[in-house]
Amino acid sequence: FVPSFSQRSCNVQMFLSCFIRGSGGFPVRHWRQRTSIFLALLLGVVATLAACGTSSQSSGPVNLTFWSFNQQITEQAAIFNQTHPNIHVTALKEPSGPNQYYPKVISSVKAGNAPDVALIEYQYIPTMVANGALVDISKYGASSVQSQFDPGAWSQVIRGSAIYGIPQDTGPMGLFYRTDIYKKAGIASPPTTWAEFAVDAAKIHALGPNYYIVSFPPSSTGWFQSLMWQAGATWFSIDSSKNAWKVTVNSAASKQVADYWQTLVSAGLVSTVGDFSSDWGAGLDKGTIASWPSAVWGQGVVTGDAADAAGKWAVAPMPQWTAGANVSGMWGGSGISVISGTKHPQEAEEFASWYLTNQQSLKIGVKEIGWFPANSSARQFPEVTSPNAYYSNQVIDKVFADAQIQSGWTWPPNLTNVNQFMGDDVNAAIANKTPLSAALDKLQGQIVSDMQSSGINVES
């Protein structure tokens, strides 16, 4: 996946631990040949234990370690262990902060004490691959379960012919809105286009100086990226002819989105309070922030922050750039990946596939963890198809299930730095009242420079 690769040969002294990987995370097998009969016999005896990247054989069960963000994974692992006597999974809940979790996974790979299986959010898969932290599980039969998953979700775990995980959940976007505030502003139905959304923004702000249709949160990089995704922007891609990354952050599609929100911000028709802040939550509860374009998981955020507004919120499809279209972006979502260095990649893939195809495991994920599942059969569970009392008995998950995810979006191999640059640039633009489109131009240069300084082949 990374355009440059290096290969290192195992020496004789290290042949018992010779699972050596190239910089792109692909397994490389090198055996030193010897004419010594004794060494040949020795290698034959220990081959099944020392083979690079293959499962060792032992009299007891294969032991796997699984990292994720959720406590309920212990329940799922227990079910797996009961039905798989030859494999035992120990599930460990890890802190979920992106600046905690992913550096820990990468450092554990380098230290040789990584988990065998771990939850990896889609947006961090390229970063993990660039650090040699993920196993391509296509060679272990992962493609056999592809038909069971939403195509948009499956596209997030593949890179070319490589498969770097099994899709767990997705984050399609929709529009959460306050029916009472819309009605009070004379808006009969939620906007179906972004042009209508801008008109409605003026109507809602006319209710009073503290009323806004939405907040534009400068630090919410994932939210802004999902809006770019919906508009058809493709920030990152790979030019296979040049074996290089291509960066198009400041494309026409991206600037269309930036200029749109610039107009609303400059006119004072949207708030700029940070999402997930106490002021933002109070706005949802009081109705002074009357909408939130968000992912499917946002339903739990709304019910928590706007606990006093039950029956006043509803969900509609995302406003469209083209009237009559039905496309959305994705904010969030994750998969289960096999981690580099595992001595048991075949068994690790078996667990990952089971975890996201077994009906008992899926029910725990949907009911107790709150997945909007990538598995198509799990989208028929009552938790997904039943009316939601808080939302006036609307079957809100249907809105997200019907969303068609815009194709073409790819995440970069340096997402942490991209988000840091983007947050700084957008915040500065809002604070200094400079154009958001200019912030994208600055971001474009920063990303290219960062990739080049990191040794990543990138088109300038």
Side-chain angles (χ1 to χ4, degrees):
F1 187 62
V2 178
S4 61
F5 301 93
S6 64
Q7 296 182 340
R8 299 181 292 275
S9 298
C10 301
N11 56 36
V12 173
Q13 290 77 14
M14 296 180 65
F15 77 94
L16 288 176
S17 58
C18 70
F19 189 79
I20 304 298
R21 296 181 182 276
S23 64
F26 296 97
V28 182
R29 190 190 309 248
H30 290 285
W31 293 99
R32 296 289 300 272
Q33 296 181 347
R34 290 290 183 271
T35 58
S36 168
I37 295 176
F38 172 77
L39 181 56
L41 290 173
L42 176 62
L43 289 175
V45 171
V46 302
T48 57
L49 296 176
C52 299
T54 60
S55 301
S56 60
Q57 303 297 317
S58 63
S59 57
V62 165
N63 291 303
L64 303 177
T65 301
F66 172 37
W67 287 4
S68 182
F69 303 159
N70 309 112
Q71 186 61 47
Q72 295 87 347
I73 61 174
T74 58
E75 299 176 42
Q76 294 157 303
I79 296 171
F80 179 85
N81 293 336
Q82 291 169 3
T83 56
H84 295 76
N86 296 325
I87 306 173
H88 184 273
V89 176
T90 300
L92 301 175
K93 180 180 181 296
E94 295 293 324
S96 60
N99 293 325
Q100 283 181 285
Y101 182 76
Y102 295 106
K104 183 176 181 179
V105 174
I106 291 170
S107 64
S108 70
V109 169
K110 294 178 179 178
N113 57 6
D116 301 274
V117 187
L119 180 146
I120 304 293
E121 293 168 286
Y122 298 140
Q123 65 266 33
Y124 284 99
I125 286 179
T127 299
M128 300 298 286
V129 172
N131 282 275
L134 301 187
V135 173
D136 172 12
I137 55 177
S138 64
K139 64 191 70 177
Y140 301 110
S143 60
S144 65
V145 299
Q146 178 178 350
S147 62
Q148 299 185 44
F149 294 90
D150 172 74
W154 191 264
S155 71
Q156 292 297 300
V157 299
I158 63 173
R159 298 295 179 269
S161 60
I163 303 174
Y164 290 110
I166 306 296
Q168 173 179 284
D169 57 329
T170 64
M173 298 277 285
L175 179 67
F176 294 85
Y177 69 101
R178 284 282 295 252
T179 57
D180 58 331
I181 303 301
Y182 272 56
K183 183 178 180 180
K184 186 177 180 180
I187 303 170
S189 58
T192 60
T193 66
W194 286 112
E196 291 177 2
F197 188 89
V199 172
D200 291 345
K203 293 179 180 179
I204 288 175
H205 194 53
L207 295 175
N210 296 323
Y211 280 84
Y212 299 99
I213 192 170
V214 74
S215 178
F216 177 85
S219 297
S220 192
T221 56
W223 179 80
F224 203 14
Q225 289 161 0
S226 70
L227 296 179
M228 302 283 187
W229 184 342
Q230 188 219 9
T234 53
W235 279 20
F236 302 95
S237 59
I238 294 179
D239 186 336
S240 56
S241 65
K242 298 181 180 179
N243 207 27
W245 282 90
K246 186 176 182 179
V247 183
T248 52
V249 165
N250 58 348
S251 66
S254 295
K255 288 192 171 183
Q256 178 187 23
V257 178
D259 291 343
Y260 174 86
W261 288 99
Q262 181 70 61
T263 299
L264 294 180
V265 170
S266 298
L269 297 178
V270 297
S271 169
T272 55
V273 66
D275 53 1
F276 308 107
S277 66
S278 57
D279 289 342
W280 179 81
L284 298 182
D285 197 30
K286 296 176 183 177
T288 52
I289 296 177
S291 307
W292 184 33
S294 183
V296 59
W297 48 260
Q299 58 188 282
V301 177
V302 172
T303 57
D305 284 356
D308 298 327
K312 298 177 180 179
W313 282 91
V315 182
M318 283 284 280
Q320 301 292 306
W321 290 102
T322 302
N326 178 31
V327 294
S328 180
M330 200 167 349
W331 186 12
S334 53
I336 303 299
S337 299
V338 176
I339 306 301
S340 296
T342 178
K343 295 181 175 64
H344 311 288
Q346 184 70 64
E347 290 85 354
E349 187 285 328
E350 181 179 349
F351 170 71
S353 291
W354 175 93
Y355 184 75
L356 296 168
T357 58
N358 177 268
Q359 294 296 293
Q360 285 181 281
S361 176
L362 288 169
K363 286 178 181 177
I364 292 172
V366 172
K367 185 175 181 179
E368 298 184 32
I369 302 176
W371 298 344
F372 184 71
N375 185 293
S376 299
S377 66
R379 291 190 178 180
Q380 305 306 313
F381 289 171
E383 291 78 12
V384 177
T385 61
S386 297
N388 189 308
Y390 178 92
Y391 294 92
S392 299
N393 289 322
Q394 181 185 3
V395 182
I396 60 174
D397 281 344
K398 187 178 188 308
V399 175
F400 299 101
D402 291 342
Q404 298 174 11
I405 303 302
Q406 183 76 271
S407 62
W409 187 268
T410 298
W411 294 105
N414 60 336
L415 183 63
T416 300
N417 291 349
V418 169
N419 285 341
Q420 182 64 57
F421 296 142
M422 184 180 179
D424 292 344
D425 295 343
V426 175
N427 268 289
I430 295 299
N432 299 328
K433 298 183 179 180
T434 55
L436 289 170
S437 59
L440 291 181
D441 288 333
K442 182 179 180 181
L443 181 60
Q444 170 80 15
Q446 289 172 316
I447 292 172
V448 170
S449 178
D450 181 69
M451 284 185 164
Q452 291 174 336
S453 65
S454 299
I456 298 172
N457 194 17
V458 58
E459 294 181 17
S460 62

